[in-house]
Amino acid sequence: MPSAFKSSPFVSLRPDQDCGREGKKQNTPPSNLAYRNINGANGSSSDSDGGDRVTNGFHSNTNGQSNGYGNGRTNGATNGVSHRSSDDEFLRLSSPQQDVLLLHGPRQKYSLEKAKDIPELRGDDEILVQVLAIGLNPVDWKGADYGFGQPSYPWVNGRDFAGIVVKAPRKPSRIQQGDVVFGPSTDYRDVRKAAYQEYVVTTDYNVARIPHGVDVKEGAALGVAWIAAAISLGISFGVDFTKLREVPEGPDVLGLVRSLDPRDVPEDIRDEIFGGIAKSERPQPGEWIAIWGASSMTGQIALQLAKFAGLKVACVADLARNGQRLGDLGADFMVDRYDTKRAIEILKAVTGNKLRFGIDTVGKETAEHLQQALASTHGGKSHILGLSGLPKEAPNGVIQHAVPIKIFHEDPNVGEQLSQWLEELLVAKCLKLPEVEVADGGLAGVNNALDRLRSGQIGGKRIVLPVGTESGTRTPKSETPAVNGYGSIGEADDMSYHDQINADPERVKFAYWVPNVSGGLVISKIPQRTHWDLHSNERYAQTAERWGFEYALSQIRFMAGYGADNQHEPVSLSQALLMSTKRLKVIAALLPGPWNPAVAAKMIASIDNYCNGRVSVNVVSGWFKLEFTSIGQWWLDHAERYRRSREFIECLKGIWTEDSFTYKGDFYQFHDYPLKPKPLNLASRVSGHPEIFQGGNSDDAKENAGAVSDYYFMNGNTLEGFQKQIADVKERAVKNDRAGKVSFALNAFVICRETEDEAIRVLQEIQGKADLEAVEGFRQQVQNAGSSTGNKSGMWANSKMEDLVQYNDGFKTKLIGTKHQIAERICMLKSLGVSIILTAFLHYEEEIEQFGREVLPLVRELEKQGRGKDEAFETARTGYIYEAQPQQQQPQQQQQQQQKK
């Protein structure tokens, strides 16, 4: 059985002599190899054989399938045996594979990719580590968002990891197979060494062994912070760790690296190592050092190392959140970060205007503040190191430094000495370990956890995610949690939750705008975690259908404008989304004029056959004059554009349903046109062809809806506006002998937050950061579709500037508040006759799933209770929200109404 040897202070899962093969032939794959017994409680517990069993706070799969190897390969084969054995089960796997998080481009989310190759070992000092946990660092989202640290795409990121050594180095080493180790990936150009994968390659000198009493999760949070702090102090500032009294002595890292041949040091760190700080300027015990952003993990480690060396440490941080922690770590002085001018003055006063050393962990702006606090009149040099950026210029007497972190992996001696010193400090219990928050989801949960880092929700802690079946990457279907009584979300191809939550034939359905144009769904300069590329849109579509969305609507643009600088063509993109989904219906936008109905009908019919009848169309009459004239299309007046659209729809329906289609219109003519293949004739299609959607507020638009369309799209409106619009279209349908054949869909921009106040603040920020020039340009153009109509009732005719920040008056639909408020309002909208709610979000990366997980099940529960059927009841309960009133007064009045309720 695997055990940890009591003679060693370190946790190790060494296989026994037979490595689980007792009673088996030499060439029989074992069913219970060395590394399956990572079990539950913190600390260590006694095993039946008297040895210590590793219990570092994470669970393993009890069937021996670890980290995703449960796909038909031998149980336990992930764990491997010693390279010295001729019966190496790891090497005997025919095609060892793993799960990997890939980044496909800047400002995108990481995507979980399965069945990727396990990285290979190349050098005698390399080891293979089965990852148990990964620690998240700010650089993991900053690099992805700002496009640095990825030499090419797709790429694997991730810096901190902890795990089990499944392949030991070929050379003699302190690291052996079975050791539980942790370390940082400082070699970001070698994708094998990135942490966001189930197996990581690193070198034996770049990892430290985990001692008894230290959790795996604590190790996973420590590596990068340790190396950044030790090298910043030891090399950039020249702190000598060889003469420590109360803790184990460390290396003189500056002396170590300056003994190297400069030709053996990478050029980009050569100046920092050999010319950074003069020997005479190295800090002496009793001197001050300031750390701005001391509550960061690197700041906390740097604080402790500086104290070990006898320095006095002044910390700038959020003291309300982290003051006690910094005090426990030994800070000599602390000042709050919120008043920067005061912080600078206090630092100067406390240090007697003799502050020579400062580390900033936050960014360029705070580094500028810290630089102002450094002494410049003491006769020597002052030194500032910026871990996240430095000011463009430094005043006379101040030297700027960047941490040469890559020397840790470039020079084995540096890596080995720093790793060994860290082991000694941990064994001696001298280093206070980071506070850790364990997140769910394994590799698949990295995106959500990084979003929390982006938003600044995590301060003074490090997020760690367990990796393996227990972490959520492969939770068995029977064990996944139910969502509001509607079953569970399983694998990506498991549509059982979608089918169950959408079982009621009288349900209101949900759609989302496909962001196939750049700029997001609001004309605002507010940051949006919404991407327009194909890969992101495929991910949004798959997420949406798994969480219960039934439709997606692609947008049509032929040229840039109003934030949409780039556009994907909607029909081709719709086909791509249909090919990557199983249940989702995609509504492809068509623009009469540029589109000929014969070409459109043919393409949509083919796509319909490809996707088993999941394609629909949205016929857009057009509002952007320049978009027509720029491509040589006639610009018709409003009424004529809608008359052309009506003919276009009549042609689509005829081509799709008649064996030989003849049509004589003012805009289109057909002569015995036979289309084959036809779209699928499905029982679920009342009209016998792909659904036809169409929008617009004008009388012309409503007349088209009543006469030829299956669905009528509405913009946001007041309660009275919704009621009049729906009644008008229904009346026109009756007049055209189509009573009951027109359904209604409604545009809504969703802002769902924990409190109504928080949601309203997001709305105010979106509107407050509106791109006013783009909104004004949009306003001028849409007059062609709004006030240009005969009765001034067209789309956007009554829209204010703050409404136009969201293209289709989505704010007016008032799905802005808590999940319960939004669900209530949806029930009211359903009672008016709305069949589909077309949603849009600020942050597609997380809010599509949030809506499906939190709001949609609440709507279904209310529907079970009979809600959404009685218009009088629903409007009496919720209708006041939609009363016509000045936009700027809405939040206050809504709050007053809620208090009355």
Side-chain angles (χ1 to χ4, degrees), residues 870-883:
D870 187 334
E871 180 177 346
F873 172 82
E874 297 292 353
T875 55
R877 182 183 181 94
T878 314
Y880 70 91
I881 296 293
Y882 298 90
E883 294 176 357

Side-chain angles (χ1 to χ4, degrees), residues 212-484:
H212 294 290
V214 175
D215 285 350
V216 168
K217 60 180 180 286
E218 292 171 321
L222 190 56
V224 167
W226 161 261
I227 296 305
I231 291 179
S232 296
L233 291 171
I235 295 178
S236 296
F237 289 173
V239 175
D240 187 353
F241 297 116
T242 62
K243 300 176 181 179
L244 309 185
R245 296 182 179 180
E246 299 180 1
V247 300
E249 293 181 353
D252 176 7
V253 197
L254 184 63
L256 197 64
V257 296
R258 288 192 173 171
S259 67
L260 300 173
D261 187 332
R263 293 171 296 182
D264 295 332
V265 175
E267 185 176 357
D268 58 337
I269 61 173
R270 199 174 293 161
D271 288 345
E272 180 64 41
I273 286 177
F274 295 102
I277 188 168
K279 190 173 183 179
S280 60
E281 294 170 1
R282 300 173 73 168
Q284 301 301 314
E287 271 200 272
W288 282 97
I289 182 173
I291 305 175
W292 201 299
S295 59
S296 68
M297 202 56 55
T298 302
Q300 293 183 33
I301 301 299
L303 164 59
Q304 296 180 73
L305 295 184
K307 293 298 296 180
F308 294 163
L311 301 178
K312 292 189 292 186
V313 183
C315 297
V316 183
D318 181 346
L319 299 186
R321 295 174 65 182
N322 303 298
Q324 182 175 348
R325 170 72 173 172
L326 296 176
D328 293 341
L329 295 177
D332 294 281
F333 182 80
M334 293 180 284
V335 58
D336 200 273
R337 66 181 174 89
Y338 286 103
D339 189 337
T340 55
K341 183 178 179 180
R342 180 173 178 271
I344 294 169
E345 292 173 350
I346 290 177
L347 284 177
K348 288 183 174 181
V350 169
T351 61
N353 204 32
K354 295 181 180 179
L355 180 63
R356 291 201 302 130
F357 297 95
I359 296 176
D360 177 82
T361 72
V362 184
K364 288 184 179 180
E365 185 176 352
T366 51
E368 174 66 39
H369 300 322
L370 181 56
Q371 189 169 263
Q372 294 175 28
L374 292 175
S376 57
T377 59
H378 53 81
K381 301 287 186 180
S382 294
H383 301 268
I384 181 171
L385 184 141
L387 290 167
S388 298
L390 285 164
K392 290 184 178 180
E393 297 180 357
N396 291 333
V398 176
I399 306 298
Q400 294 183 343
H401 298 264
V403 56
I405 197 167
K406 67 166 56 177
I407 196 65
F408 178 66
H409 67 260
E410 291 286 344
D411 185 74
N413 196 19
V414 172
E416 182 70 14
Q417 292 210 32
L418 287 176
S419 297
Q420 282 191 340
W421 185 34
L422 176 56
E423 288 182 351
E424 293 169 6
L425 290 172
L426 293 176
V427 170
K429 303 186 186 310
C430 298
L431 198 66
K432 291 184 172 63
L433 297 172
E435 293 184 282
V436 169
E437 178 178 324
V438 178
D440 295 327
L443 288 174
V446 165
N447 284 318
N448 288 338
L450 288 178
D451 282 341
R452 298 185 62 205
L453 286 181
R454 278 187 183 92
S455 62
Q457 297 179 37
I458 303 299
K461 293 183 179 181
R462 180 61 52 86
I463 297 182
V464 171
L465 291 95
V467 176
T469 55
E470 75 289 345
S471 65
T473 57
R474 282 188 176 82
T475 307
K477 180 180 174 181
S478 61
E479 298 177 7
T480 53
V483 183
N484 290 69

Side-chain angles (χ1 to χ4, degrees), residues 511-751:
Y512 75 93
W513 280 96
V514 173
N516 55 300
V517 301
S518 61
L521 272 294
V522 290
I523 312 175
S524 176
K525 296 179 181 179
I526 189 173
Q528 300 181 61
R529 292 188 290 278
T530 298
H531 308 297
W532 64 281
D533 61 284
L534 172 61
H535 183 78
S536 296
N537 270 299
E538 287 178 329
R539 189 170 67 252
Y540 301 153
Q542 291 164 354
T543 300
E545 72 169 356
R546 291 185 69 207
W547 286 99
F549 284 80
E550 297 181 68
Y551 290 89
L553 173 66
S554 59
Q555 307 173 61
I556 190 163
R557 285 286 185 91
F558 277 87
M559 60 182 292
Y562 321 117
D565 293 332
N566 297 282
Q567 322 87 33
H568 284 308
E569 191 282 316
V571 176
S572 56
L573 185 85
S574 296
Q575 180 177 343
L577 299 185
L578 288 163
M579 295 301 102
S580 65
T581 54
K582 296 178 179 296
R583 296 288 192 277
L584 194 70
K585 297 178 180 180
V586 181
I587 309 166
L590 302 174
L591 186 62
W595 279 99
N596 181 280
V599 176
K602 183 71 172 177
M603 292 184 68
I604 297 300
S606 294
I607 294 172
D608 197 60
N609 280 266
Y610 305 156
C611 68
N612 297 317
R614 290 187 291 120
V615 68
S616 304
V617 298
N618 179 39
V619 177
V620 181
S621 295
W623 55 267
F624 193 178
K625 179 179 179 179
L626 191 61
E627 193 168 46
F628 281 78
T629 58
S630 293
I631 60 175
Q633 291 289 317
W634 291 103
W635 177 246
L636 306 177
D637 67 25
H638 184 276
E640 288 295 284
R641 292 200 304 277
Y642 275 89
R643 199 162 66 86
R644 178 173 58 185
S645 292
R646 179 167 177 167
E647 287 193 9
F648 187 92
I649 294 172
E650 289 173 341
C651 290
L652 288 181
K653 295 167 74 171
I655 293 170
W656 284 338
T657 58
E658 297 180 21
D659 291 336
S660 180
F661 179 63
T662 296
Y663 186 87
K664 295 180 180 180
D666 292 335
F667 299 94
Y668 306 107
Q669 294 83 39
F670 287 87
H671 308 283
D672 298 325
Y673 175 55
L675 174 69
K676 292 183 180 180
K678 302 286 189 188
L680 300 182
N681 188 9
L682 304 174
S684 59
R685 285 177 166 170
V686 177
S687 57
H689 54 73
E691 295 163 313
I692 298 175
F693 291 74
Q694 165 251 315
N697 284 6
S698 65
D699 287 345
D700 298 310
K702 289 181 282 190
E703 184 63 26
N704 276 7
V708 293
S709 300
D710 299 314
Y711 273 92
Y712 175 57
F713 269 128
M714 299 185 295
N715 282 7
N717 211 324
T718 63
L719 173 59
E720 182 182 13
F722 289 139
Q723 291 170 325
K724 286 183 176 180
Q725 204 168 3
I726 291 172
D728 192 351
V729 172
K730 286 183 175 180
E731 183 179 336
R732 294 171 190 270
V734 171
K735 183 186 68 175
N736 285 278
D737 198 25
R738 300 184 67 241
K741 293 185 178 180
V742 184
S743 300
F744 297 88
L746 174 61
N747 180 64
F749 192 86
V750 179
I751 305 176

